[in-house]
Amino acid sequence: MKQLNLILAAILTVFFMVSCSDDFLNQPPLDRITEEGVWNDKNLMDAYLFKIYDKMPWDYLDDFWGVGGSQRDALSDLARGTYSWTSLNNTFRPGNWGTSNNTWPIDWWGYDVLWKINYSIENIEQAPTSVLTPEERNNRLGELYFLRAYSYFELVKRYGGVPIILEAQNPETTPEDEYFPERNTEKEVYEQVLADTQLAFDLLPDRWTSQRGRAPKWAAKALESRAALYAASIAKYGMVQLDGLVGIPTTDADAYYQISLAASQKIINEAGYQLFNKYPNASDNYAHLFLDETDDETIFMKIWIPFEKGHSYDLHNVPYSYRVDWGGSMSPTKQLLDSYEMLDTGLLPTESGSGYDENNPFENRDPRLKGTLLTNNDIFQGFPVELWYGTETNGIIDTNRGTGVGKDGLGIHPDATKTGFYVRKHLQDGGAPLFIKEFYSGTDCIIFRLGEIYLNAAEAAIELNMESAARDYIEPIRTRAGLQQNLRLEPYSGLDLRDRIRNERKLEMAFEDQRYWDVKRWRIATEALSIQVEGLKILRHIDGFGNETFSYETFDAEAAKMNFYERHYYLPIGQDRINNNNKLKENPLY
């Protein structure tokens, strides 16, 4: 099932891969490519394609050690980073960044990857039938069109309009005006993405017989669903600037919503995927959706191989007492906790009549809460997670390590939670502590799944004023989640219904690298990402009979509020790139 990476590892030892230069496109010159035999050998050709897959920017489980091991969702209101010394906490979250420090994990100027994609398209189009059958040729071209569409989608959602380059440039033969092109408009880039997704859909197989890591045709349709939704949001809620280099005309919004809805409907009705629903306990079912690596719901994923080609998500995110080193790199926010509704009423804790009990904040909630977060006394890897910061006995509070503080609680160690809970989602579980080492995590990274497609359809429908259809698409998600009330969000309509659908997306897609980009495309990031992060201080009480109870106190869990400024809706192109190509215009407010 994971043979793609094994094949790649074996084959890459026999030929020299294309290298990169440092010009504004990061594009390797053609004269560096000497292995002509690659395009006359199917295995070598596939190895070249697999290397492109490996360089794509879609993996949200990969290690972002430059920002303290946190994943990109720590840039959002879902979590804060644990380590105060990192650029995540002292540069990005306070909003103190611009053209000089526009770096990974948000920057991606992927023209080195695009060069390899275009180069591969040109060569595979010419591959003789003795090397590839017509079907094999079409399948690989479909992969490359999908990869090109995804690459331009990653660029446009960061920078707006970027240069569209559809052939492998050669510094010796490409005319200068083409080698140093101007930026296309944001609309033109989205149109290119959608054109390539259609080409990919027409050429790719329904499923790859034995190689799960390769994109099927439904991955292309899922990208169409997502990209069109982004374009529609930008058109409806954004603003056209720089003659269209950023922004899309408002008049185009409904057309893009229709494209997204149609693509989503096609997947739901024809692709043969189903919502994962294997376990009777809804919290466990949601957690295992990301661990069991089934094909029920997953449309496309990046394959990881534990011990051989693994990542370090578990190392960086397990609670303190379960760690090998580091650990707890993302501390979920109380704002995320407060977004889960009450099970008995279907209402959010802040809504009147919700039934929320501040003395029992983790219980009787949307089951996805316990499938996403680890809260006080939850059993994880065979033992309870202990999150109290101190123990009160006879009016005296003990905050000493080993006697008063829970083994995973606030203040136990700099690696411990800063908010009062931990991430559960994507973490391997078991009957005893696993102590997973660096690069030993093998959880696959799900890039497209059916759950998102239902959410895309619901959002597109409500934006098109199709309330009944929006309810039809949100109901299966809420039913699978184990909710009991208001499965069709019956009490809400209009903008209230839209906002509840958005909240549903926040919860269902939490820690899947969606939230940061969602609030940007809805143009609410200046509010949603400019907040004082809160947490819960948990105090354990022991009475004279040895009975244990807990009390909870909301507190400010970050020294200063996070900030998102208007300029951050688009990333800066950056002065270095403009110096290399003076036709590139900088984005607004930089």
Side-chain angles (χ1 to χ4, degrees), residues 195-299:
D196 275 345
T197 60
Q198 187 58 53
L199 286 172
F201 181 78
D202 292 339
L203 294 170
L204 283 165
D206 187 81
R207 305 285 196 280
W208 289 88
T209 304
S210 61
Q211 297 176 322
R212 293 174 60 239
R214 304 184 84 152
K217 67 189 303 178
W218 300 109
K221 191 58 66 174
L223 176 55
E224 181 183 351
S225 168
R226 186 188 294 179
L229 192 64
Y230 272 61
S233 303
I234 297 300
K236 184 165 185 175
Y237 298 108
M239 179 173 59
V240 175
Q241 301 176 77
L242 299 179
D243 296 323
L245 293 185
V246 296
I248 297 173
T250 304
T251 53
D252 293 326
D254 282 0
Y256 284 122
Y257 282 125
Q258 291 282 5
I259 292 171
S260 179
L261 180 57
S264 302
Q265 290 170 329
K266 191 171 184 67
I267 296 170
I268 292 168
N269 296 330
E270 300 179 24
Y273 297 98
Q274 58 186 342
L275 294 176
F276 181 84
N277 212 7
K278 181 178 178 181
Y279 298 87
N281 179 281
S283 295
D284 290 341
N285 187 73
Y286 182 75
H288 278 275
L289 162 61
F290 307 96
L291 300 176
D292 283 13
E293 300 181 357
T294 72
D295 295 326
D296 296 7
E297 181 168 340
T298 301
I299 298 171

Side-chain angles (χ1 to χ4, degrees), residues 543-560:
D543 66 17
F545 300 98
N547 298 313
E548 181 182 71
T549 59
F550 297 93
S551 60
Y552 304 87
E553 177 187 353
T554 299
F555 74 105
D556 291 343
E558 210 163 16

Side-chain angles (χ1 to χ4, degrees), residues 284-582:
D284 290 341
N285 187 73
Y286 182 75
H288 278 275
L289 162 61
F290 307 96
L291 300 176
D292 283 13
E293 300 181 357
T294 72
D295 295 326
D296 296 7
E297 181 168 340
T298 301
I299 298 171
F300 178 57
M301 80 300 291
K302 178 175 178 178
I303 303 296
W304 286 98
I305 306 172
F307 319 121
E308 298 176 27
K309 182 176 172 50
H311 55 82
S312 301
Y313 187 91
D314 292 271
L315 176 87
H316 287 151
N317 287 290
V318 292
Y320 171 72
S321 69
Y322 302 80
R323 86 202 206 295
V324 174
D325 195 5
W326 304 102
S329 294
M330 286 193 295
S331 295
T333 66
K334 185 174 181 291
Q335 282 88 343
L336 172 59
L337 181 73
D338 290 344
S339 299
Y340 291 93
E341 67 188 46
M342 303 304 297
L343 194 60
D344 288 347
T345 63
L347 300 176
L348 297 174
T350 56
E351 293 181 288
S352 177
S354 70
Y356 175 67
D357 180 5
E358 63 182 14
N359 294 315
N360 200 14
F362 306 128
E363 303 307 318
N364 191 36
R365 304 292 293 275
D366 178 337
R368 287 173 297 188
L369 187 158
K370 291 296 187 80
T372 305
L373 306 179
L374 287 170
T375 64
N376 192 42
N377 271 341
D378 288 347
I379 301 300
F380 177 66
Q381 295 182 6
F383 291 88
V385 179
E386 301 177 353
L387 291 170
W388 52 89
Y389 76 91
T391 299
E392 181 271 328
T393 307
N394 297 323
I396 299 173
I397 299 177
D398 179 5
T399 58
N400 293 313
R401 294 182 62 177
T403 58
V405 184
K407 63 184 177 65
D408 308 293
L410 288 168
I412 191 71
H413 190 273
D415 290 357
T417 177
K418 296 298 187 290
T419 58
F421 18 89
Y422 293 90
V423 177
R424 176 187 180 186
K425 191 170 179 177
H426 305 297
L427 292 179
Q428 294 289 338
D429 204 349
L434 300 178
F435 299 120
I436 298 175
K437 299 179 182 179
E438 188 173 20
F439 308 128
Y440 272 31
S441 293
T443 306
D444 290 344
C445 181
I446 299 176
I447 297 160
F448 292 111
R449 62 182 178 92
L450 186 61
E452 179 197 347
I453 303 306
Y454 275 105
L455 292 165
N456 292 352
E459 182 181 337
I462 192 60
E463 295 286 6
L464 292 167
N465 297 313
M466 301 166 58
E467 286 200 2
S468 179
R471 297 182 197 279
D472 290 342
Y473 292 119
I474 210 66
E475 183 178 8
I477 293 293
R478 291 174 58 78
T479 300
R480 188 271 297 274
L483 297 169
Q484 299 173 2
Q485 303 294 327
N486 303 333
L487 294 178
R488 293 175 60 82
L489 295 174
E490 294 90 342
Y492 309 95
S493 61
L495 293 180
D496 291 335
L497 178 58
R498 181 204 68 180
D499 290 346
R500 282 304 302 264
I501 289 172
R502 288 180 176 183
N503 190 67
E504 200 70 28
R505 186 180 187 92
K506 176 182 180 180
L507 304 180
E508 178 69 23
M509 305 302 294
F511 302 108
E512 294 180 60
D513 195 23
Q514 298 263 6
R515 178 64 176 172
Y516 178 76
W517 308 106
D518 282 340
V519 296
K520 287 181 69 172
R521 66 181 174 88
W522 294 328
R523 291 301 188 260
I524 63 170
T526 50
E527 296 81 33
L529 303 187
S530 295
I531 59 172
Q532 176 63 60
V533 166
E534 295 178 338
L536 275 183
K537 295 178 71 173
I538 304 171
L539 181 62
R540 182 174 66 156
H541 304 271
I542 304 294
D543 66 17
F545 300 98
N547 298 313
E548 181 182 71
T549 59
F550 297 93
S551 60
Y552 304 87
E553 177 187 353
T554 299
F555 74 105
D556 291 343
E558 210 163 16
K561 65 188 289 284
M562 61 187 297
N563 292 295
F564 185 99
Y565 298 111
E566 192 73 26
R567 67 178 180 270
H568 294 145
Y569 280 118
Y570 292 99
L571 273 61
I573 301 298
Q575 194 58 49
D576 287 348
R577 291 162 187 157
I578 294 173
N579 289 342
N580 283 321
N581 176 14
N582 58 20

Side-chain angles (χ1 to χ4, degrees), residues 37-229:
V38 169
W39 307 108
N40 289 309
D41 184 295
K42 184 169 66 175
N43 288 331
L44 294 179
M45 187 186 304
D46 280 349
Y48 193 98
L49 267 60
F50 300 160
K51 189 65 175 178
I52 296 173
Y53 271 92
D54 205 43
K55 293 295 185 182
M56 293 296 290
W58 46 39
D59 195 328
Y60 52 84
L61 297 183
D62 206 351
D63 307 312
F64 302 133
W65 189 239
V67 291
S70 293
Q71 272 54 42
R72 199 155 33 221
D73 273 313
L75 292 168
S76 76
D77 55 345
L78 300 184
R80 59 151 291 182
T82 294
Y83 305 112
S84 60
W85 49 266
T86 64
S87 59
L88 171 67
N89 286 327
N90 58 42
T91 301
F92 290 107
R93 288 180 62 82
N96 301 326
W97 60 274
T99 59
S100 63
N101 49 13
N102 181 37
T103 57
W104 184 255
I106 51 176
D107 183 62
W108 188 75
W109 192 254
Y111 283 95
D112 56 333
V113 174
L114 279 163
W115 188 93
K116 294 175 183 178
I117 292 170
N118 290 329
Y119 176 74
S120 299
I121 290 173
E122 293 170 5
N123 280 277
I124 290 177
E125 284 179 336
Q126 301 172 26
T129 55
S130 59
V131 176
L132 296 176
T133 67
E135 181 182 15
E136 290 172 334
R137 173 184 172 276
N138 287 340
N139 290 168
R140 283 153 182 78
L141 288 174
E143 287 180 280
L144 290 162
Y145 288 128
F146 167 74
L147 294 169
R148 189 167 74 182
Y150 198 99
S151 295
Y152 275 114
F153 174 63
E154 290 295 307
L155 288 167
V156 73
K157 79 179 188 182
R158 286 168 166 80
Y159 311 102
V162 294
I164 297 175
I165 301 172
L166 304 180
E167 56 186 41
Q169 295 176 310
N170 182 346
E172 296 180 358
T173 60
T174 301
E176 184 174 338
D177 62 334
E178 296 179 17
Y179 193 70
F180 296 102
E182 297 179 347
R183 295 173 65 183
N184 288 82
T185 67
E186 183 164 4
K187 179 179 178 178
E188 287 171 337
V189 180
Y190 272 109
E191 289 294 319
Q192 181 61 48
V193 171
L194 297 177
D196 275 345
T197 60
Q198 187 58 53
L199 286 172
F201 181 78
D202 292 339
L203 294 170
L204 283 165
D206 187 81
R207 305 285 196 280
W208 289 88
T209 304
S210 61
Q211 297 176 322
R212 293 174 60 239
R214 304 184 84 152
K217 67 189 303 178
W218 300 109
K221 191 58 66 174
L223 176 55
E224 181 183 351
S225 168
R226 186 188 294 179
L229 192 64

